[in-house]
Amino acid sequence: MVEIVHTTRRVVSAEERKGAADRQAQQRAKLGLPLAFGAGEDAAAGAEVEAAQQGRERGWEEMYDDVTGAAYWRHRRTGRATWDPPPPEATPTEGRDDLKRYHERRYELFRRFDEGVRLDDEAWFSVTPELLAKHQAKRLLQAVAKPLSMVAVDVYAGGGGNAIQLAHRGGANAHVLGLELDTKRAHDAAHNAHVYGARWRVDIVIADATVLLPRLRAGIVDAVFSSPPWGGPRYRREQDGSFDADTLAPLSLADLWIAARRLLRDDDDGGGIAPQSTIATFLPRATTDASITHAAEMAGFDEVEVETAVLDRRAVGVTVYCRRAASPTSDVLY
């Protein structure tokens, strides 16, 4: 008995790619993105070129369909065919005791890890687990008036986990600008967005947040997310085991929120910030309420919500949502 399985694969035309690239360029122009900084399409294109080169080295060759002319890849030895450039090898972790426990939880970080997700040493312990990133995107975009055409900024993009989920939550017309200082990590983030089908909605910019944030045009961003670098597993704590958010560098928490607030669209009553949670920041679980309160006062917020995230009965951090409307503090269990 012969079983017939019908499959469909939509091929993106050159015109559609150009249209997506044009829309991305228009969004960058609206944000006032200086041309001196590396653009997301450059990072993504570099990741695709690198992936294609690694694919050729592993026996893949680019072919063209006789009927449609669409490009696809075929493995010379096995004959396996795929539409997308073959993914590069996953980040090697063999013999790395410092990364072993993170590699064991790789599917928590990225559910599609085996499809070619790339992470460098720092991204292994700094990327937000996918389930939590989905929740943060949902909470953050609940307050956006038009979430299906929203513009968001991920201040410290890292491996791209939060930017990808913001793009998916925002829909087909979303534009997520991700800032990342490390060139290789920026390429990895752009590549990971490609793995998750968010290639043209996630725009990774190779730039220093302290330099670029003040230069972006104010008042046109719907939401700002940030997971600032705080030292990873060996982050600095006070003698009592707590973490002071004022010690964040290069931007303190107050400076980060002030810069983020400037980017947000004005609300209807002229208060200068949308009335709900349109700024979210992920911090260590030991962050003190006093340091968060101090930063909120400096940035001019009336109230913040501190939400504790628990994965597998283990607290992994707190997400702080800045707002003017009243809302109780909550714990979220996954």
Side-chain angles (χ1 to χ4, degrees):
M1 180 178 179
V2 177
E3 180 182 0
I4 300 178
V5 179
H6 294 277
T7 61
T8 302
R9 173 61 187 244
R10 181 174 178 271
V11 179
V12 179
S13 66
E15 290 78 11
E16 287 179 294
R17 287 180 179 270
K18 184 179 185 302
D22 290 344
R23 287 194 298 273
Q24 192 179 73
Q26 291 171 5
Q27 289 287 4
R28 285 204 289 272
K30 287 175 61 178
L31 285 165
L33 187 66
L35 297 178
F37 291 93
E41 67 175 13
D42 298 330
E48 289 184 6
V49 170
E50 183 179 351
Q53 178 60 34
Q54 291 187 10
R56 294 187 185 97
E57 294 173 356
R58 302 200 317 274
W60 291 87
E61 56 185 353
E62 192 170 15
M63 309 291 291
Y64 295 90
D65 187 273
D66 294 335
V67 178
T68 65
Y72 67 96
W73 292 81
R74 185 181 68 183
H75 196 274
R76 286 191 292 270
R77 181 175 60 82
T78 65
R80 178 190 170 195
T82 176
W83 288 110
D84 297 319
E89 298 292 343
T91 305
T93 58
E94 292 78 11
R96 295 290 303 276
D97 292 337
D98 56 333
L99 297 180
K100 182 179 178 180
R101 65 190 180 104
Y102 298 102
H103 186 265
E104 290 174 349
R105 300 201 304 268
R106 59 193 179 279
Y107 300 115
E108 291 182 12
L109 304 180
F110 286 96
R111 179 177 55 84
R112 300 171 65 175
F113 182 86
D114 288 340
E115 296 181 36
V117 167
R118 303 194 320 195
L119 299 171
D120 66 1
D121 286 5
E122 182 173 327
W124 272 107
F125 57 78
S126 63
V127 69
T128 306
E130 182 169 325
L131 188 61
L132 176 55
K134 285 182 178 180
H135 171 77
Q136 291 169 331
K138 178 181 177 180
R139 285 290 316 275
L140 188 58
L141 299 190
Q142 280 176 344
V144 175
K146 297 180 179 179
L148 298 185
S149 59
M150 66 89 187
V151 177
V153 175
D154 184 356
V155 180
Y156 302 102
N162 286 101
I164 290 169
Q165 297 307 324
L166 285 169
H168 280 311
R169 189 73 187 179
N173 295 320
H175 181 254
V176 181
L177 180 68
L179 313 184
E180 177 51 52
L181 180 59
D182 185 272
T183 301
K184 182 182 183 304
R185 198 172 304 129
H187 286 188
D188 289 347
H191 169 80
N192 294 340
H194 177 68
V195 169
Y196 273 76
R199 163 74 166 82
W200 294 108
R201 289 173 290 163
V202 174
D203 187 7
I204 303 297
V205 176
I206 305 170
D208 185 343
T210 61
V211 176
L212 185 56
L213 281 179
R215 300 180 65 177
L216 294 178
R217 188 167 292 124
I220 63 170
V221 172
D222 296 295
V224 179
F225 179 86
S226 60
S227 180
W230 35 264
R234 299 178 180 84
Y235 67 89
R236 183 173 57 183
R237 300 192 186 192
E238 303 299 325
Q239 292 183 352
D240 60 359
S242 62
F243 179 77
D244 187 348
D246 291 334
T247 63
L248 289 172
L251 286 174
S252 68
L253 186 58
D255 291 338
L256 175 60
W257 284 348
I258 291 171
R261 180 170 180 165
R262 187 187 70 87
L263 299 178
L264 293 178
R265 299 182 192 275
D266 291 345
D267 62 356
D268 294 335
D269 64 9
I273 181 174
Q276 298 295 325
S277 306
T278 50
I279 296 178
T281 304
F282 191 49
L283 296 170
R285 60 182 181 271
T287 306
T288 63
D289 289 345
S291 63
I292 294 174
T293 301
H294 177 259
E297 291 174 348
M298 295 289 292
F301 293 116
D302 295 333
E303 182 180 346
V304 295
E305 176 186 352
V306 181
E307 180 182 75
T308 302
V310 181
L311 287 169
D312 295 330
R313 303 185 181 278
R314 176 177 54 89
V316 296
V318 295
T319 308
V320 183
Y321 300 94
C322 301
R323 56 153 51 99
R324 291 168 55 219
S327 177
T329 300
S330 62
D331 292 344
V332 177
L333 178 64
Y334 295 92

